[in-house]
Amino acid sequence: MKLLPLTPEGRTPVRVLTIAGTDSGGGAGIQADSRTMALLGVHACVAVAAVTVQNTLGVSGFHEIPPQTVADQVRVVVGDIGVGAAKTGMLASTAIIEAVAQVCREVGIGRDGEIPFVVDPVAASMHGDPLLHASALDALRHTLIPLATVVTPNLDEVRLLTGIEVTDDRSARRAAEALHKLGPRWAIVKGGHLRSSDFSTDLLYDGDRFHELSAPRIATGNDHGGGDTLAAATACALAHGYDVPDAVAFAKEWTTRCLKASYDLGAGHGPVSPLWRLGQN
């Protein structure tokens, strides 16, 4: 695959900010975001929104960071270092979501600013463990998603946000339309969890046209962090100046390659892995 350009040694690389939760098992969350960013040659900045207690078998607890602290992390990073794009992950409460939305508007992240914004509306882990208080769904719908350049839910999150159960192409299109009505510039309905074919097809929609992005389905149970990886790679490509369809297409190819390189870890689901990039010139 064609990778993003690397910055010459000694020069400042492109910067991307992730606003998300940690993963103590290292497979998803800020750890997955930072791995992808680093291996794409991007400097990763972080605003920690929650600390999770998890391993490959699931999430057994999480601790929310105070909303003001989350917002302050964003403010000081953008004010000093500057970022070419930002993304979200786990934002566990209404208060955190509202604080993030407010500071993003303040510093120019999102639809009305100059900094592209990828909203990954994380609501549950791949094991089904809740990572978002139920009361916070409305804050996602009405406060954060309207700021998004692109919103990237998985199918469970699509159902929670829109009430639509995606089972085929027709329902995927209805879901993409419903997501777009929430206010993002682009909405993507990911097909990775729809295991009815040999291909994984993501549907991207801008309110006018649908774009289908397909890749062969990788036969692996080690897919922890796949959604984070897709969103992080999308943000990296946007920071390099890609438009949204090209950024998502790049991220789709990157994530598929990371699925091929996934590995066993612990007794549960291992992570997708960008470490294959270390063997490339």
Side-chain angles (χ1 to χ4, degrees):
M1 65 176 291
K2 183 179 180 180
L3 295 169
L4 301 179
L6 295 177
T7 304
E9 186 175 350
R11 295 183 61 182
T12 304
V14 166
R15 287 84 66 206
V16 174
L17 171 65
T18 173
I19 312 164
T22 69
D23 177 354
S24 50
I30 279 175
Q31 283 80 358
D33 293 343
S34 297
R35 272 200 307 276
T36 275
M37 291 175 190
L39 287 164
L40 285 174
V42 170
H43 178 86
C45 299
V46 303
V48 180
V51 176
T52 70
V53 180
Q54 67 175 295
N55 55 24
T56 65
L57 297 173
V59 179
S60 55
F62 62 85
H63 171 74
E64 298 171 26
I65 303 300
Q68 186 63 53
T69 303
V70 180
D72 286 345
Q73 292 174 84
V74 176
R75 186 176 294 108
V76 299
V77 165
V78 177
D80 173 46
I81 296 170
V83 297
K87 72 167 290 288
T88 66
M90 177 190 178
L91 306 176
S93 69
T94 298
I96 291 174
I97 291 168
E98 290 177 344
V100 168
Q102 180 177 337
V103 74
C104 284
R105 288 191 295 267
E106 174 188 323
V107 301
I109 294 173
R111 285 204 61 161
D112 297 327
E114 297 181 357
I115 302 170
F117 193 28
V118 180
V119 173
D120 188 10
V122 175
S125 76
M126 65 177 300
H127 304 279
D129 305 304
L131 296 174
L132 179 74
H133 296 305
S135 59
L137 280 172
D138 274 343
L140 267 181
R141 291 188 191 99
H142 304 302
T143 305
L144 195 67
I145 290 177
L147 294 178
T149 306
V150 57
V151 62
T152 65
N154 63 32
L155 295 187
D156 290 331
E157 292 152 356
V158 167
R159 176 176 48 79
L160 289 170
L161 290 167
T162 69
I164 297 172
E165 188 82 39
V166 175
T167 57
D168 54 21
D169 181 68
R170 179 177 295 181
S171 54
R173 287 176 178 251
R174 287 196 296 112
E177 291 169 342
L179 282 169
H180 190 265
K181 286 179 181 177
L182 296 178
R185 284 183 181 164
W186 295 80
I188 184 168
V189 175
K190 298 183 292 189
H193 292 178
L194 191 63
R195 304 184 184 278
S196 57
S197 78
D198 294 332
F199 286 84
S200 170
T201 300
D202 298 343
L203 192 63
L204 184 64
Y205 182 61
D206 67 351
D208 181 34
R209 295 180 57 198
F210 290 98
H211 303 255
E212 288 191 357
L213 304 166
S214 291
R217 188 173 297 280
I218 307 301
T220 178
N222 295 326
D223 53 1
H224 189 41
D228 308 83
T229 297
L230 181 83
T234 300
C236 289
L238 290 172
H240 272 279
Y242 285 44
D243 64 18
V244 171
D246 286 344
V248 174
F250 169 80
K252 175 77 169 177
E253 190 174 0
W254 172 263
T255 304
T256 300
R257 186 65 183 81
C258 291
L259 278 161
K260 290 180 181 178
S262 64
Y263 52 83
D264 293 335
L265 190 72
H269 291 275
V272 304
S273 176
L275 297 177
W276 63 270
R277 175 71 176 87
L278 296 175
Q280 304 293 306
N281 295 322

PDB file of all heavy atoms in Angstrom, residues 98-121:
ATOM      1  N   GLU A  98     -19.569  17.291  26.660  1.00  0.00           N
ATOM      2  CA  GLU A  98     -19.863  18.712  26.547  1.00  0.00           C
ATOM      3  C   GLU A  98     -18.610  19.559  26.694  1.00  0.00           C
ATOM      4  O   GLU A  98     -18.426  20.559  25.979  1.00  0.00           O
ATOM      5  CB  GLU A  98     -20.912  19.111  27.585  1.00  0.00           C
ATOM      6  CG  GLU A  98     -22.290  18.526  27.269  1.00  0.00           C
ATOM      7  CD  GLU A  98     -23.329  18.855  28.331  1.00  0.00           C
ATOM      8  OE1 GLU A  98     -22.923  19.266  29.444  1.00  0.00           O
ATOM      9  OE2 GLU A  98     -24.531  18.693  28.055  1.00  0.00           O
ATOM     10  N   ALA A  99     -17.706  19.156  27.597  1.00  0.00           N
ATOM     11  CA  ALA A  99     -16.453  19.891  27.775  1.00  0.00           C
ATOM     12  C   ALA A  99     -15.576  19.796  26.529  1.00  0.00           C
ATOM     13  O   ALA A  99     -14.955  20.778  26.105  1.00  0.00           O
ATOM     14  CB  ALA A  99     -15.702  19.368  28.999  1.00  0.00           C
ATOM     15  N   VAL A 100     -15.535  18.605  25.927  1.00  0.00           N
ATOM     16  CA  VAL A 100     -14.744  18.415  24.708  1.00  0.00           C
ATOM     17  C   VAL A 100     -15.335  19.225  23.567  1.00  0.00           C
ATOM     18  O   VAL A 100     -14.605  19.892  22.818  1.00  0.00           O
ATOM     19  CB  VAL A 100     -14.656  16.912  24.353  1.00  0.00           C
ATOM     20  CG1 VAL A 100     -14.090  16.720  22.941  1.00  0.00           C
ATOM     21  CG2 VAL A 100     -13.794  16.181  25.373  1.00  0.00           C
ATOM     22  N   ALA A 101     -16.655  19.201  23.414  1.00  0.00           N
ATOM     23  CA  ALA A 101     -17.292  19.970  22.344  1.00  0.00           C
ATOM     24  C   ALA A 101     -17.010  21.466  22.504  1.00  0.00           C
ATOM     25  O   ALA A 101     -16.692  22.167  21.528  1.00  0.00           O
ATOM     26  CB  ALA A 101     -18.798  19.713  22.332  1.00  0.00           C
ATOM     27  N   GLN A 102     -17.097  21.947  23.729  1.00  0.00           N
ATOM     28  CA  GLN A 102     -16.869  23.367  23.971  1.00  0.00           C
ATOM     29  C   GLN A 102     -15.440  23.769  23.648  1.00  0.00           C
ATOM     30  O   GLN A 102     -15.204  24.784  22.968  1.00  0.00           O
ATOM     31  CB  GLN A 102     -17.190  23.706  25.423  1.00  0.00           C
ATOM     32  CG  GLN A 102     -16.974  25.170  25.772  1.00  0.00           C
ATOM     33  CD  GLN A 102     -17.367  25.502  27.200  1.00  0.00           C
ATOM     34  OE1 GLN A 102     -18.165  24.798  27.821  1.00  0.00           O
ATOM     35  NE2 GLN A 102     -16.817  26.581  27.738  1.00  0.00           N
ATOM     36  N   VAL A 103     -14.459  22.995  24.103  1.00  0.00           N
ATOM     37  CA  VAL A 103     -13.068  23.375  23.850  1.00  0.00           C
ATOM     38  C   VAL A 103     -12.718  23.212  22.372  1.00  0.00           C
ATOM     39  O   VAL A 103     -11.920  23.986  21.825  1.00  0.00           O
ATOM     40  CB  VAL A 103     -12.098  22.592  24.763  1.00  0.00           C
ATOM     41  CG1 VAL A 103     -11.943  21.130  24.309  1.00  0.00           C
ATOM     42  CG2 VAL A 103     -10.737  23.272  24.805  1.00  0.00           C
ATOM     43  N   CYS A 104     -13.319  22.235  21.704  1.00  0.00           N
ATOM     44  CA  CYS A 104     -13.064  22.075  20.268  1.00  0.00           C
ATOM     45  C   CYS A 104     -13.555  23.290  19.495  1.00  0.00           C
ATOM     46  O   CYS A 104     -12.864  23.792  18.601  1.00  0.00           O
ATOM     47  CB  CYS A 104     -13.724  20.795  19.752  1.00  0.00           C
ATOM     48  SG  CYS A 104     -12.831  19.284  20.208  1.00  0.00           S
ATOM     49  N   ARG A 105     -14.731  23.790  19.839  1.00  0.00           N
ATOM     50  CA  ARG A 105     -15.215  25.012  19.188  1.00  0.00           C
ATOM     51  C   ARG A 105     -14.283  26.185  19.482  1.00  0.00           C
ATOM     52  O   ARG A 105     -14.001  27.023  18.611  1.00  0.00           O
ATOM     53  CB  ARG A 105     -16.641  25.331  19.648  1.00  0.00           C
ATOM     54  CG  ARG A 105     -17.705  24.388  19.085  1.00  0.00           C
ATOM     55  CD  ARG A 105     -19.104  24.917  19.348  1.00  0.00           C
ATOM     56  NE  ARG A 105     -19.404  24.949  20.778  1.00  0.00           N
ATOM     57  CZ  ARG A 105     -20.013  23.969  21.436  1.00  0.00           C
ATOM     58  NH1 ARG A 105     -20.382  22.871  20.794  1.00  0.00           N
ATOM     59  NH2 ARG A 105     -20.263  24.075  22.724  1.00  0.00           N
ATOM     60  N   GLU A 106     -13.787  26.234  20.699  1.00  0.00           N
ATOM     61  CA  GLU A 106     -12.916  27.333  21.124  1.00  0.00           C
ATOM     62  C   GLU A 106     -11.606  27.367  20.340  1.00  0.00           C
ATOM     63  O   GLU A 106     -11.128  28.450  19.958  1.00  0.00           O
ATOM     64  CB  GLU A 106     -12.628  27.190  22.618  1.00  0.00           C
ATOM     65  CG  GLU A 106     -11.624  28.174  23.194  1.00  0.00           C
ATOM     66  CD  GLU A 106     -11.260  27.820  24.619  1.00  0.00           C
ATOM     67  OE1 GLU A 106     -12.153  27.371  25.377  1.00  0.00           O
ATOM     68  OE2 GLU A 106     -10.086  27.980  24.991  1.00  0.00           O
ATOM     69  N   VAL A 107     -11.013  26.187  20.082  1.00  0.00           N
ATOM     70  CA  VAL A 107      -9.680  26.150  19.472  1.00  0.00           C
ATOM     71  C   VAL A 107      -9.717  25.884  17.967  1.00  0.00           C
ATOM     72  O   VAL A 107      -8.673  25.792  17.333  1.00  0.00           O
ATOM     73  CB  VAL A 107      -8.777  25.109  20.171  1.00  0.00           C
ATOM     74  CG1 VAL A 107      -8.620  25.433  21.646  1.00  0.00           C
ATOM     75  CG2 VAL A 107      -9.296  23.679  19.970  1.00  0.00           C
ATOM     76  N   GLY A 108     -10.923  25.757  17.392  1.00  0.00           N
ATOM     77  CA  GLY A 108     -11.026  25.609  15.949  1.00  0.00           C
ATOM     78  C   GLY A 108     -11.005  24.185  15.437  1.00  0.00           C
ATOM     79  O   GLY A 108     -10.695  23.942  14.268  1.00  0.00           O
ATOM     80  N   ILE A 109     -11.362  23.234  16.293  1.00  0.00           N
ATOM     81  CA  ILE A 109     -11.469  21.838  15.868  1.00  0.00           C
ATOM     82  C   ILE A 109     -12.911  21.574  15.455  1.00  0.00           C
ATOM     83  O   ILE A 109     -13.842  21.884  16.194  1.00  0.00           O
ATOM     84  CB  ILE A 109     -11.072  20.877  17.006  1.00  0.00           C
ATOM     85  CG1 ILE A 109      -9.591  21.012  17.341  1.00  0.00           C
ATOM     86  CG2 ILE A 109     -11.407  19.433  16.651  1.00  0.00           C
ATOM     87  CD1 ILE A 109      -9.166  20.222  18.578  1.00  0.00           C
ATOM     88  N   GLY A 110     -13.098  20.995  14.279  1.00  0.00           N
ATOM     89  CA  GLY A 110     -14.435  20.588  13.879  1.00  0.00           C
ATOM     90  C   GLY A 110     -15.009  21.401  12.740  1.00  0.00           C
ATOM     91  O   GLY A 110     -14.319  22.179  12.085  1.00  0.00           O
ATOM     92  N   ARG A 111     -16.282  21.244  12.498  1.00  0.00           N
ATOM     93  CA  ARG A 111     -16.943  21.756  11.293  1.00  0.00           C
ATOM     94  C   ARG A 111     -16.741  23.248  11.073  1.00  0.00           C
ATOM     95  O   ARG A 111     -16.570  23.704   9.946  1.00  0.00           O
ATOM     96  CB  ARG A 111     -18.451  21.471  11.359  1.00  0.00           C
ATOM     97  CG  ARG A 111     -18.792  20.026  11.084  1.00  0.00           C
ATOM     98  CD  ARG A 111     -20.212  19.884  10.597  1.00  0.00           C
ATOM     99  NE  ARG A 111     -20.437  20.611   9.356  1.00  0.00           N
ATOM    100  CZ  ARG A 111     -21.451  20.379   8.521  1.00  0.00           C
ATOM    101  NH1 ARG A 111     -22.318  19.441   8.811  1.00  0.00           N
ATOM    102  NH2 ARG A 111     -21.600  21.076   7.425  1.00  0.00           N
ATOM    103  N   ASP A 112     -16.799  24.028  12.129  1.00  0.00           N
ATOM    104  CA  ASP A 112     -16.719  25.476  11.970  1.00  0.00           C
ATOM    105  C   ASP A 112     -15.294  26.003  12.107  1.00  0.00           C
ATOM    106  O   ASP A 112     -15.077  27.219  12.042  1.00  0.00           O
ATOM    107  CB  ASP A 112     -17.623  26.163  13.001  1.00  0.00           C
ATOM    108  CG  ASP A 112     -19.088  25.802  12.799  1.00  0.00           C
ATOM    109  OD1 ASP A 112     -19.489  25.607  11.639  1.00  0.00           O
ATOM    110  OD2 ASP A 112     -19.820  25.699  13.801  1.00  0.00           O
ATOM    111  N   GLY A 113     -14.317  25.108  12.287  1.00  0.00           N
ATOM    112  CA  GLY A 113     -12.934  25.514  12.427  1.00  0.00           C
ATOM    113  C   GLY A 113     -12.084  24.988  11.280  1.00  0.00           C
ATOM    114  O   GLY A 113     -12.594  24.459  10.291  1.00  0.00           O
ATOM    115  N   GLU A 114     -10.794  25.142  11.424  1.00  0.00           N
ATOM    116  CA  GLU A 114      -9.880  24.732  10.369  1.00  0.00           C
ATOM    117  C   GLU A 114      -9.302  23.337  10.576  1.00  0.00           C
ATOM    118  O   GLU A 114      -8.663  22.796   9.679  1.00  0.00           O
ATOM    119  CB  GLU A 114      -8.725  25.740  10.273  1.00  0.00           C
ATOM    120  CG  GLU A 114      -9.165  27.142   9.877  1.00  0.00           C
ATOM    121  CD  GLU A 114      -7.997  28.100   9.777  1.00  0.00           C
ATOM    122  OE1 GLU A 114      -6.859  27.673  10.067  1.00  0.00           O
ATOM    123  OE2 GLU A 114      -8.217  29.257   9.400  1.00  0.00           O
ATOM    124  N   ILE A 115      -9.505  22.769  11.756  1.00  0.00           N
ATOM    125  CA  ILE A 115      -8.870  21.494  12.089  1.00  0.00           C
ATOM    126  C   ILE A 115      -9.862  20.352  11.884  1.00  0.00           C
ATOM    127  O   ILE A 115     -10.906  20.301  12.554  1.00  0.00           O
ATOM    128  CB  ILE A 115      -8.366  21.495  13.545  1.00  0.00           C
ATOM    129  CG1 ILE A 115      -7.381  22.651  13.763  1.00  0.00           C
ATOM    130  CG2 ILE A 115      -7.714  20.159  13.892  1.00  0.00           C
ATOM    131  CD1 ILE A 115      -7.001  22.880  15.217  1.00  0.00           C
ATOM    132  N   PRO A 116      -9.587  19.411  10.967  1.00  0.00           N
ATOM    133  CA  PRO A 116     -10.495  18.279  10.745  1.00  0.00           C
ATOM    134  C   PRO A 116     -10.688  17.463  12.030  1.00  0.00           C
ATOM    135  O   PRO A 116      -9.763  17.315  12.835  1.00  0.00           O
ATOM    136  CB  PRO A 116      -9.785  17.454   9.675  1.00  0.00           C
ATOM    137  CG  PRO A 116      -8.867  18.424   8.989  1.00  0.00           C
ATOM    138  CD  PRO A 116      -8.431  19.385  10.052  1.00  0.00           C
ATOM    139  N   PHE A 117     -11.892  16.918  12.181  1.00  0.00           N
ATOM    140  CA  PHE A 117     -12.283  16.271  13.431  1.00  0.00           C
ATOM    141  C   PHE A 117     -12.955  14.938  13.131  1.00  0.00           C
ATOM    142  O   PHE A 117     -14.011  14.895  12.501  1.00  0.00           O
ATOM    143  CB  PHE A 117     -13.251  17.186  14.178  1.00  0.00           C
ATOM    144  CG  PHE A 117     -13.529  16.821  15.607  1.00  0.00           C
ATOM    145  CD1 PHE A 117     -12.608  16.148  16.386  1.00  0.00           C
ATOM    146  CD2 PHE A 117     -14.744  17.189  16.190  1.00  0.00           C
ATOM    147  CE1 PHE A 117     -12.877  15.843  17.712  1.00  0.00           C
ATOM    148  CE2 PHE A 117     -15.027  16.900  17.508  1.00  0.00           C
ATOM    149  CZ  PHE A 117     -14.095  16.223  18.271  1.00  0.00           C
ATOM    150  N   VAL A 118     -12.337  13.855  13.564  1.00  0.00           N
ATOM    151  CA  VAL A 118     -12.894  12.510  13.414  1.00  0.00           C
ATOM    152  C   VAL A 118     -13.528  12.104  14.744  1.00  0.00           C
ATOM    153  O   VAL A 118     -12.836  12.008  15.760  1.00  0.00           O
ATOM    154  CB  VAL A 118     -11.797  11.490  13.031  1.00  0.00           C
ATOM    155  CG1 VAL A 118     -12.397  10.089  12.889  1.00  0.00           C
ATOM    156  CG2 VAL A 118     -11.112  11.917  11.737  1.00  0.00           C
ATOM    157  N   VAL A 119     -14.827  11.885  14.747  1.00  0.00           N
ATOM    158  CA  VAL A 119     -15.534  11.479  15.966  1.00  0.00           C
ATOM    159  C   VAL A 119     -15.815   9.987  15.885  1.00  0.00           C
ATOM    160  O   VAL A 119     -16.594   9.536  15.047  1.00  0.00           O
ATOM    161  CB  VAL A 119     -16.840  12.277  16.155  1.00  0.00           C
ATOM    162  CG1 VAL A 119     -17.634  11.714  17.337  1.00  0.00           C
ATOM    163  CG2 VAL A 119     -16.530  13.748  16.377  1.00  0.00           C
ATOM    164  N   ASP A 120     -15.138   9.237  16.739  1.00  0.00           N
ATOM    165  CA  ASP A 120     -15.389   7.802  16.883  1.00  0.00           C
ATOM    166  C   ASP A 120     -16.255   7.657  18.133  1.00  0.00           C
ATOM    167  O   ASP A 120     -15.745   7.717  19.251  1.00  0.00           O
ATOM    168  CB  ASP A 120     -14.062   7.056  17.030  1.00  0.00           C
ATOM    169  CG  ASP A 120     -14.221   5.545  16.998  1.00  0.00           C
ATOM    170  OD1 ASP A 120     -15.332   5.076  16.662  1.00  0.00           O
ATOM    171  OD2 ASP A 120     -13.253   4.840  17.311  1.00  0.00           O
ATOM    172  N   PRO A 121     -17.564   7.489  17.995  1.00  0.00           N
ATOM    173  CA  PRO A 121     -18.482   7.555  19.135  1.00  0.00           C
ATOM    174  C   PRO A 121     -18.498   6.261  19.943  1.00  0.00           C
ATOM    175  O   PRO A 121     -19.469   5.492  19.930  1.00  0.00           O
ATOM    176  CB  PRO A 121     -19.828   7.823  18.467  1.00  0.00           C
ATOM    177  CG  PRO A 121     -19.723   7.134  17.153  1.00  0.00           C
ATOM    178  CD  PRO A 121     -18.283   7.272  16.718  1.00  0.00           C
TER     179      PRO A 121
END
